[in-house]
Amino acid sequence: MARNNERSDTRLNVARYQVDGSTPGAEVDENEADVAGQTRMEARAQYVEIQIQQAMRAGAFDNLPGAGKPLTGLEQTYDPDWWIRKKIERENITGLGPPALTLRTENQTLDDRLDAAPSEHAARQLLTDFNARIVEARRQLKGGPPVITPMRDVDDELARWRERRSARATAAHEARERREAELRAMSWRERRRARRTEGF
């Protein structure tokens, strides 16, 4: 056991000597004058400053992200959970974090999810589930930031869903009719070439 302790002390002493030149048994005083008449703290500060100046000359700090741009969010009120919200937005994380923040991000994409629903029944289920989770999060049983996401009126949202769906169907029908009219105006060779390129 004694040999192991001696070996580890020797290695430690060698490492200390390589780093700052101290020898075993010598007390290191930060204010002690070094060879050049500087204290160790002054020498370290000077070394760091030299490294920073060299990096600036080499261009290590050029073209950093956000350089020359105004700081964002200065006009907003303080949000203690800003860093969580930014992380979720930046990395497009879904399903993680406090319910108040996940409901905010889900509220922004809810219309797209409703438009992807295959039927009115499925859209109604999505809205009902969304409203139920808002009510559950407002109870604050698990704690966390306050919930500011508004609930959606199911009937109004379904009416808007129907309007968007009929507008999409009308636009698709008109585009199909326009394309058929363009094909009819072409010669049979142009029509065959156009159908090949479109994958018909």
Side-chain angles (χ1 to χ4, degrees), residues 50-76:
I50 290 170
Q51 294 298 316
I52 291 172
Q53 293 296 329
Q54 288 177 350
M56 287 171 65
R57 281 189 222 109
F61 302 124
D62 294 346
N63 300 325
L64 292 174
K69 297 177 183 173
L71 297 174
T72 58
L74 291 179
E75 68 281 351
Q76 297 174 354

Side-chain angles (χ1 to χ4, degrees), residues 1-11:
M1 292 298 285
R3 287 181 182 174
N4 288 340
N5 288 341
E6 287 172 9
R7 192 178 310 136
S8 66
D9 287 341
T10 304
R11 288 180 184 164

Side-chain angles (χ1 to χ4, degrees), residues 3-176:
R3 287 181 182 174
N4 288 340
N5 288 341
E6 287 172 9
R7 192 178 310 136
S8 66
D9 287 341
T10 304
R11 288 180 184 164
L12 182 63
N13 293 336
V14 169
R16 282 184 181 149
Y17 182 76
Q18 288 175 344
V19 170
D20 58 6
S22 63
T23 57
E27 293 292 327
V28 177
D29 184 12
E30 293 292 340
N31 296 322
E32 179 183 326
D34 206 355
V35 178
Q38 294 178 319
T39 63
R40 289 187 190 273
M41 289 298 289
E42 289 173 349
R44 287 180 188 159
Q46 185 179 7
Y47 173 76
V48 170
E49 186 62 34
I50 290 170
Q51 294 298 316
I52 291 172
Q53 293 296 329
Q54 288 177 350
M56 287 171 65
R57 281 189 222 109
F61 302 124
D62 294 346
N63 300 325
L64 292 174
K69 297 177 183 173
L71 297 174
T72 58
L74 291 179
E75 68 281 351
Q76 297 174 354
T77 59
Y78 177 69
D79 182 10
D81 301 309
W82 64 269
W83 60 277
I84 299 173
R85 184 172 44 80
K86 289 289 185 187
K87 178 84 170 171
I88 289 172
E89 289 172 2
R90 185 174 58 246
E91 300 194 8
N92 199 15
I93 299 172
T94 57
L96 298 176
L101 298 180
T102 56
L103 286 170
R104 279 187 220 171
T105 56
E106 188 178 344
N107 187 37
Q108 295 171 353
T109 60
L110 187 60
D111 288 343
D112 295 334
R113 288 180 58 211
L114 288 172
D115 290 343
S119 65
E120 185 173 335
H121 178 69
R124 183 179 293 276
Q125 283 184 331
L126 277 172
L127 288 166
T128 306
D129 177 59
F130 180 71
N131 287 339
R133 284 187 286 121
I134 289 176
V135 169
E136 185 68 26
R138 283 183 181 166
R139 291 181 182 153
Q140 296 287 332
L141 298 176
K142 297 179 182 177
V147 180
I148 60 171
T149 306
M151 292 178 66
R152 299 281 187 111
D153 187 327
V154 177
D155 294 329
D156 289 347
E157 291 296 327
L158 287 176
R160 289 177 57 226
W161 176 80
R162 282 188 222 100
E163 289 173 7
R164 290 194 304 266
R165 187 174 187 181
S166 65
R168 281 196 310 272
T170 304
H173 180 68
E174 289 173 356
R176 197 165 40 249

